[in-house]
Amino acid sequence: NPQDTIGCRPMMSALLLVVGLVVLIKGADFLVKGASILASQFGISSLTIGLTVVSFGTSMPELLVSLMSGLQNKPDLAIGNVIGSNIANVLLVLGVAAIIRPLPVRNSTVVSEIPFSLSAALLLGFLANAHLFSDYPELSISHVDGAILLFFFFLFMLYVYKTSGANAPPVREVKSAGTKLRASLLILLGALGLYFGGQWVVDGAVGLARNWGFNEALIGLTIVAIGTSSPELVATAVAAYRNQTDIAVGNVIGSNVFNLLWVLGFTSTIVELPFEVVSNTDLVVVIASSAMFILALVASGNNTVRRSHGLLFISFYLAYIVYVVLRG
């Protein structure tokens, strides 16, 4: 019966969403556990692990969604996914983590990593709008722009590598030959859990949204952005709960840099992404959220994102979502 099939679709989407969330939570738990063990075994700081290993794992859904969207000639979804995810990372993810546990931030992060993330957003805004000053005013993120974004991404990776020994814990003597193997396996399983869990969350959420009559542009800026940020949300929340605050903060900052420079850079080197002027408003929100992050740290007096800041971040995020829905 066709009516039964139609009626089953929302149920299947809801089931996919729930299963995806369960896999996400377990994957995040594995990833944080494995990353923590690896950091102690190799004498690498938790912040570096958060900026690299955890960020790479949690950015997989954004990479997949943006790349597939670009190849399917849906540039608005490819760009909106990244911009929306970065807004969610700071305002929603950091907000939730700060409510779970206040997040102290290292001085080096305040003066280096956060400004780098902010600069990446400004660079993207400049490249996307550069054609306004040419004879061909059609806005886009071109193949050359993608190469420039990737260049700055590799500079960031070089910086992380050079500073990876700073504030690192002493190397622990391995009591079991399988300790590092176990940590690597946990990271691999965690990354796979985040990858597939993120995909199922996005697919389930999009399926529900379409059944409720929302258009694809609105889905891209809200449901898909939140869905692809769910690995960051869960991994950061779990890290905060486990008092691995360096991993929590490093994951958010690293994911934002990965999204802007790696995900959009890699995607646009393969397929040029037309850029709509209206997306500049969302890009301004990315920049403003990073500025709010810095202001919160300065206002705290000791470089800590407090619970009150977390509540403020989430309030601003809800206001942004309302604005996007009304605009959409």
Side-chain angles (χ1 to χ4, degrees):
N1 189 337
Q3 289 297 107
D4 292 337
T5 303
I6 292 171
C8 285
R9 286 175 187 167
M11 291 182 62
M12 290 299 295
S13 296
L15 180 62
L16 197 60
L17 182 62
V18 171
V19 171
L21 284 172
V22 172
V23 173
L24 268 177
I25 291 168
K26 201 61 190 172
D29 193 35
F30 283 166
L31 188 64
V32 172
K33 275 184 182 176
S36 301
I37 294 170
L38 210 60
S40 65
Q41 294 298 332
F42 285 98
I44 302 171
S45 71
S46 295
L47 179 62
T48 300
I49 292 290
L51 285 168
T52 54
V53 176
V54 180
S55 294
F56 181 77
T58 57
S59 291
M60 282 185 179
E62 282 92 342
L63 177 61
L64 182 72
V65 170
S66 289
L67 185 58
M68 291 298 101
S69 299
L71 292 173
Q72 292 170 14
N73 197 29
K74 296 178 180 177
D76 287 347
L77 185 56
I79 296 170
N81 164 49
V82 165
I83 294 176
S85 293
N86 277 28
I87 294 169
N89 282 349
V90 176
L91 298 182
L92 178 62
V93 175
L94 264 186
V96 169
I99 290 172
I100 294 172
R101 188 185 300 275
L103 303 172
V105 179
R106 296 182 185 275
N107 288 331
S108 62
T109 302
V110 178
V111 299
S112 300
E113 284 92 6
I114 298 174
F116 195 99
S117 175
L118 180 58
S119 299
L122 292 170
L123 175 65
L124 175 63
F126 171 75
L127 293 175
N129 290 278
H131 287 290
L132 285 174
F133 307 101
S134 71
D135 295 331
Y136 305 96
E138 293 83 6
L139 303 186
S140 69
I141 305 173
S142 67
H143 299 306
V144 174
D145 296 335
I148 293 171
L149 292 173
L150 286 179
F151 171 74
F152 280 94
F153 172 73
F154 288 120
L155 283 184
F156 178 72
M157 287 292 97
L158 181 63
Y159 161 78
V160 171
Y161 172 75
K162 290 291 186 182
T163 59
S164 60
N167 302 308
V171 179
R172 294 183 186 175
E173 189 173 339
V174 182
K175 297 179 181 178
S176 165
T179 303
K180 291 179 183 177
L181 179 63
R182 175 173 171 265
S184 301
L185 186 61
L186 283 171
I187 290 173
L188 177 62
L189 289 174
L192 288 172
L194 291 175
Y195 176 81
F196 288 108
Q199 274 299 102
W200 295 338
V201 165
V202 171
D203 290 344
V206 170
L208 283 175
R210 283 179 178 158
N211 277 288
W212 292 336
F214 294 138
N215 63 54
E216 287 194 4
L218 184 60
I219 292 170
L221 284 167
T222 54
I223 302 291
V224 175
I226 295 172
T228 55
S229 286
S230 51
E232 284 91 343
L233 175 60
V234 178
T236 303
V238 169
Y241 177 76
R242 291 180 172 278
N243 200 26
Q244 296 285 343
T245 53
D246 277 348
I247 288 180
V249 174
N251 176 37
V252 168
I253 298 169
S255 293
N256 277 14
V257 173
F258 269 65
N259 288 345
L260 291 170
L261 301 182
W262 168 246
V263 174
L264 277 185
F266 182 74
T267 301
S268 57
T269 56
I270 294 174
V271 55
E272 190 166 304
L273 301 173
F275 187 84
E276 297 294 332
V277 174
V278 70
S279 296
N280 282 319
T281 305
D282 305 303
L283 202 51
V284 167
V285 177
V286 173
I287 295 166
S289 62
S290 297
M292 282 180 61
F293 186 12
I294 296 171
L295 287 172
L297 296 174
V298 173
S300 70
N302 60 349
N303 288 347
T304 300
V305 183
R306 303 188 185 281
R307 287 190 172 93
S308 57
H309 299 145
L311 288 169
L312 187 63
F313 285 5
I314 292 173
S315 299
F316 272 98
Y317 185 71
L318 292 175
Y320 168 74
I321 292 297
V322 170
Y323 160 74
V324 169
V325 170
L326 292 176
R327 185 184 72 183

